[in-house]
Amino acid sequence: KLDVKVLRYMSSDEFRVLTAVEMGSKNHELVPLTLIAQIAGLRHGGSHKIIGELAKKNLVAKIKNAKYEGYRLTYGGYDYLALKTFVKRGSVSSVGNQIGVGKESDIYIVADESENQLVLKIHRLGRVSFRAIKSKRDYLQKRKSASWMYMSRLAAMKEYAFMKVLYDNGFPVPQPIDQARHCVVMELIDAYPLRQISEVKDPGKLYSDLMNLIVKLAQYGLIHGDFNEFNILVKDNGDPILIDFPQMVSISHFNAEWYFNRDVECIRTYFRKRYNYESMLYPKFKLDVNR
Ligand code: ADP
């Protein structure tokens, strides 16, 4: 799906035109060819030929509305622009296998200039129904006609910002490396999601590590909001790493206690059902979170 060959065989004129489509998208849902030519600074005929080539490579899509013929950037084109930025900065120099398809993202193994393996997470909002996303994410409620590009870029920026704050404060999350457009580059964690682990060596230890993590986060002012077996990787030594936090809320949120209890309950239920592990001990918002 992420066609790396396209990256190699792209002329500078093609790149100019693609960038022009992106710039035009800021105030046009459908970017008119005349505007594309104007931004790219090419003759109209020149842009026409090049945009045809970009369309063939699925980097832009040609769309006709009632008034005019225009183009919009595709996810492929947006991926290309983000990758180009990472390559220029040296944070990515090659793209490897896809290792995950999340609900709202694609995950690839990539390598940087020094051949360190990293993870590239490409946010793909708008792939599931808009309503489903809208109900979950407060920042969208402020913007009625948010486009998929805008939503995905916002998700990536938010993820990178949270990951940086958490990482810098000693929380077990992947090290954030770089961010551009709808993409985040981060440390590759050598571990499997809790969901895929049928036998945990010491369920009591992992259970209390996870509960402590929920409490530590809350003492820091944050509630994960979706603390579940898909978002937790467990390393060989048993240590958990939190990989995904799209719905983080503040402990001053009016429903904070409800979110906190839901995260706690999610882990309790999972350990009971999956590992037949139950503990009398679990954190309580009022007792364990100093406000
Ligand atoms: P989504 O939010 O779309 O569900 P996730 O961030 O949860 O995407 O990632 C989906 C899958 O990709 C995870 O279950 C995990 O297997 C893998 N993954 C994501 N980030 C990393 C990482 N930093 N290191 C290793 N594997 C990862």
Side-chain angles (χ1 to χ4, degrees):
K1 264 195 245 149
L2 190 65
D3 192 356
V4 193
K5 271 179 289 169
V6 167
L7 267 169
R8 268 179 243 141
Y9 307 109
M10 181 107 138
S11 70
S12 58
D13 276 356
E14 282 179 302
F15 180 63
R16 274 171 87 115
V17 171
L18 188 62
T19 307
V21 176
E22 183 188 37
M23 287 172 74
S25 302
K26 287 185 181 133
N27 40 27
H28 290 79
E29 201 153 329
L30 210 55
V31 193
L33 188 56
T34 44
L35 180 64
I36 297 170
Q38 201 185 339
I39 299 173
L42 296 169
R43 288 179 297 111
H44 184 83
S47 294
H48 196 86
K49 179 168 170 286
I50 289 167
I51 199 100
E53 273 149 28
L54 294 175
K56 237 185 277 161
K57 294 176 180 172
N58 280 324
L59 302 177
V60 298
K62 182 171 170 176
I63 292 163
K64 259 179 102 118
N65 71 9
K67 292 191 204 104
Y68 63 93
E69 192 180 290
Y71 291 83
R72 62 167 185 80
L73 207 59
T74 62
Y75 256 127
Y78 207 38
D79 293 353
Y80 173 87
L81 289 168
L83 267 177
K84 178 108 181 166
T85 300
F86 289 138
V87 169
K88 205 166 76 192
R89 293 180 190 156
S91 45
V92 174
S93 65
S94 65
V95 177
N97 293 333
Q98 182 165 8
I99 56 163
V101 187
K103 280 193 306 293
E104 293 167 352
S105 70
D106 289 328
I107 315 277
Y108 289 86
I109 304 244
V110 296
D112 67 10
E113 285 177 333
S114 324
E115 289 182 25
N116 298 308
Q117 292 208 314
L118 301 167
V119 158
L120 169 70
K121 178 166 174 176
I122 308 179
H123 285 264
R124 303 234 188 262
L125 271 75
R127 192 158 64 179
V128 295
S129 91
F130 181 67
R131 179 165 300 182
I133 298 164
K134 196 178 167 186
S135 64
K136 272 197 286 177
R137 303 203 199 283
D138 56 349
Y139 60 80
L140 287 176
Q141 263 136 38
K142 297 184 192 108
R143 206 186 150 105
K144 270 214 183 97
S145 64
S147 72
W148 58 264
M149 267 196 280
Y150 175 80
M151 295 190 290
S152 302
R153 186 169 74 98
L154 214 49
M157 289 167 65
K158 196 174 149 186
E159 176 170 51
Y160 185 81
F162 271 125
M163 199 180 286
K164 181 149 177 38
V165 159
L166 292 173
Y167 185 81
D168 289 348
N169 283 279
F171 286 96
V173 298
Q175 179 180 6
I177 307 289
D178 203 356
Q179 191 270 315
R181 295 186 175 81
H182 58 329
C183 299
V184 174
V185 180
M186 67 181 95
E187 177 189 1
L188 170 67
I189 305 292
D190 184 19
Y192 291 103
L194 182 58
R195 172 74 210 179
Q196 285 174 33
I197 303 176
S198 47
E199 255 174 86
V200 171
K201 275 176 224 136
D202 188 349
K205 160 109 180 9
L206 182 59
Y207 175 91
S208 71
D209 282 352
L210 292 173
M211 292 305 183
N212 286 338
L213 184 50
I214 291 176
V215 170
K216 234 180 84 183
L217 276 170
Q219 285 172 346
Y220 187 71
L222 294 168
I223 297 166
H224 186 283
D226 195 17
F227 202 88
N228 65 39
E229 65 273 20
F230 298 96
N231 295 330
I232 298 157
L233 302 184
V234 182
K235 298 208 286 192
D236 271 348
N237 67 4
D239 288 349
I241 308 278
L242 210 46
I243 52 161
D244 192 24
F245 17 86
Q247 326 204 53
M248 206 95 92
V249 293
S250 156
I251 54 158
S252 50
H253 188 284
F254 71 103
N255 264 338
E257 182 165 4
W258 185 83
Y259 283 113
F260 181 90
N261 289 340
R262 193 177 63 173
D263 278 358
V264 169
E265 212 40 56
C266 190
I267 294 301
R268 293 188 75 204
T269 306
Y270 188 73
F271 273 70
R272 189 168 58 236
K273 286 199 179 143
R274 190 80 190 270
Y275 309 119
N276 199 21
Y277 178 87
E278 197 158 8
S279 171
M280 294 295 289
L281 298 172
Y282 58 92
K284 291 162 198 78
F285 192 69
K286 289 206 177 71
L287 283 175
D288 295 296
V289 184
N290 306 315
R291 291 212 282 173

